[in-house]
Amino acid sequence: MQNESKLDPIIIEHVSKQFGNFTAVNNISFMVRKGEIFGFLGPNGSGKTTTIRMALGLLPPSAGKIQILGFDITDHPGKIRQRIGYMSQRFSLYNDLTVIENLRFYGRAYGLSNQDLSERIQYTIEMAGLIDREHTKTKDLSGGWRQRLALGACILHHPEIIFLDEPTAGVDPISRRIFWDLLYSLAAEGITIFVTTHYMDEAERCHRMAFIQHGEFIAMGTQVEIMDSMKIGRVLELSPSDPVRALRSLQALQIKGTLQVEEIALYGSMIHVLAKDINTQSTQIYKALLSAGVDPGERRIISPSLEDLFIACMR
């Protein structure tokens, strides 16, 4: 684990979680800095939600140590819960209550006094752009507005850390972008944000990230650091006349072992081929497509995208 400073608001050391004979999380260690947006990426069942539940004190780790804001989460859960916020994928809101009624309910649940509650509700409504929607019932809000309300509810008590578990699942791209602008505003205030996501465009906006699979870390750091550590090479980007046919032809060669590449993927009308020695492979790929009756089109060598890195790491 890097820079193990006791000032880091989240410190996880050699943590594992077992359910019977099944290991959901296996000996992971990392820290998250103050004011940082830390992304947690992995396929379904990889251990993301289990890690969050342990960090929230909802699940005891089978092994290892979790420190949140300087306190051991197992020994002092009560000292931590009032200083953290949590937003789940399902938005824990009351549909028959209005926006302001939901905020009042959550504020009182957090123990805010009348004056503090009023000030925090006003701040939250302005921050989340919910002005003129205060008396709208939650069930009548669109997914994007419900998402903003859920975020507002989890920051009412001004937490120092926010845990977000796939908060933008099923939300349209414009609402997702607005939501992330809100997260950047919160991070600028010094709030630490720990977020799981399946969207690569969101992951690219994180300051640092970790890839987890089968409960184990396979990469961690900034996008550049992960790319350097994986040493997976560069990408040949093609614009073939028949992308699907080109993809199948190259995949067939990869399966046969005659094409030594890490990954072949379709990106809209383009093909990305990832390889450590892509300059050497480029000529072979070009000739293979011509032999298959496909015009390779324009070609250029580029750095791998985060999606390229993620897929290569998962495989």
Side-chain angles (χ1 to χ4, degrees):
M1 187 167 61
Q2 302 173 0
N3 301 325
E4 295 183 6
S5 168
K6 296 306 178 184
L7 297 177
D8 294 322
I10 301 175
I11 301 176
I12 293 183
E13 299 175 305
H14 305 294
V15 167
S16 297
K17 180 61 182 178
Q18 290 183 293
F19 297 96
N21 294 324
F22 175 69
T23 301
V25 175
N26 187 20
N27 193 31
I28 64 172
S29 296
F30 66 96
M31 58 79 188
V32 183
R33 306 176 184 118
K34 181 178 174 62
E36 180 176 49
I37 302 178
F38 187 87
F40 211 41
L41 287 76
N44 290 333
S46 60
K48 302 189 303 297
T49 298
T50 299
T51 301
I52 282 185
R53 294 186 70 189
M54 287 191 290
L56 290 169
L58 301 176
L59 276 177
S62 302
K65 184 177 181 180
I66 299 176
Q67 278 192 323
I68 304 296
L69 298 168
F71 294 98
D72 188 295
I73 190 64
T74 303
D75 297 335
H76 305 284
K79 294 182 179 179
I80 299 168
R81 285 176 184 158
Q82 288 298 317
R83 298 171 64 186
I84 61 178
Y86 172 60
M87 177 179 167
S88 68
Q89 178 180 342
R90 294 176 182 170
F91 307 158
S92 300
L93 301 169
Y94 291 92
N95 287 327
D96 290 330
L97 297 182
T98 65
V99 167
I100 199 163
E101 287 170 342
N102 262 292
L103 294 176
R104 284 174 182 158
F105 172 82
Y106 279 99
R108 288 171 182 146
Y110 285 126
L112 296 178
S113 65
N114 289 337
Q115 182 176 355
D116 288 342
L117 178 58
S118 178
E119 292 176 355
R120 289 303 298 174
I121 286 177
Q122 187 60 36
Y123 163 82
T124 299
I125 287 173
E126 293 176 2
M127 181 278 299
L130 290 165
I131 297 173
D132 297 330
R133 288 179 170 80
E134 296 96 323
H135 303 293
T136 302
K137 284 192 174 182
T138 304
K139 65 182 179 182
D140 296 326
L141 295 174
S142 68
W145 290 110
R146 284 169 56 83
Q147 177 197 54
R148 294 194 216 179
L149 175 57
L151 177 64
C154 90
I155 65 166
L156 268 173
H157 57 305
H158 200 63
E160 296 165 65
I161 304 173
I162 305 173
F163 293 91
L164 307 172
D165 193 6
E166 296 183 30
T168 59
V171 179
D172 67 89
I174 293 176
S175 295
R176 287 200 291 117
R177 182 173 290 272
I178 293 171
F179 182 83
W180 272 83
D181 289 342
L182 294 177
L183 294 188
Y184 265 91
S185 297
L186 294 172
E189 294 178 13
I191 297 174
T192 302
I193 300 171
F194 185 99
V195 57
T196 71
T197 179
H198 283 302
Y199 297 109
M200 291 300 110
D201 62 320
E202 291 186 351
E204 288 176 340
R205 301 188 69 175
C206 295
H207 298 122
R208 289 188 305 132
M209 66 198 78
F211 294 167
I212 185 171
Q213 186 178 41
H214 303 309
E216 297 183 355
F217 276 179
I218 55 177
M220 184 169 61
T222 65
Q223 182 173 344
V224 172
E225 289 170 347
I226 291 174
M227 182 173 65
D228 290 344
S229 66
M230 294 303 295
K231 302 186 187 309
I232 58 176
R234 291 171 67 80
V235 171
L236 173 65
E237 184 179 75
L238 301 164
S239 302
S241 56
D242 188 337
V244 174
R245 188 174 178 184
L247 178 68
R248 291 173 179 168
S249 299
L250 294 178
Q251 286 177 334
L253 293 175
Q254 184 185 29
I255 292 171
K256 290 179 182 178
T258 56
L259 187 61
Q260 303 298 319
V261 298
E262 303 292 326
E263 177 66 29
I264 304 169
L266 186 64
Y267 282 73
S269 61
M270 296 183 294
I271 300 289
H272 278 196
V273 184
L274 177 64
K276 293 179 180 178
D277 58 343
I278 195 62
N279 288 304
T280 303
Q281 300 287 336
S282 177
T283 301
Q284 182 184 357
I285 291 168
Y286 194 80
K287 291 179 178 178
L289 292 178
L290 290 176
S291 298
V294 178
D295 180 0
E298 294 184 10
R299 52 179 174 166
R300 62 180 183 140
I301 294 176
I302 61 174
S303 296
S305 66
L306 183 60
E307 187 169 347
D308 292 321
L309 290 172
F310 182 74
I311 293 173
C313 287
M314 289 302 110
R315 291 196 175 183

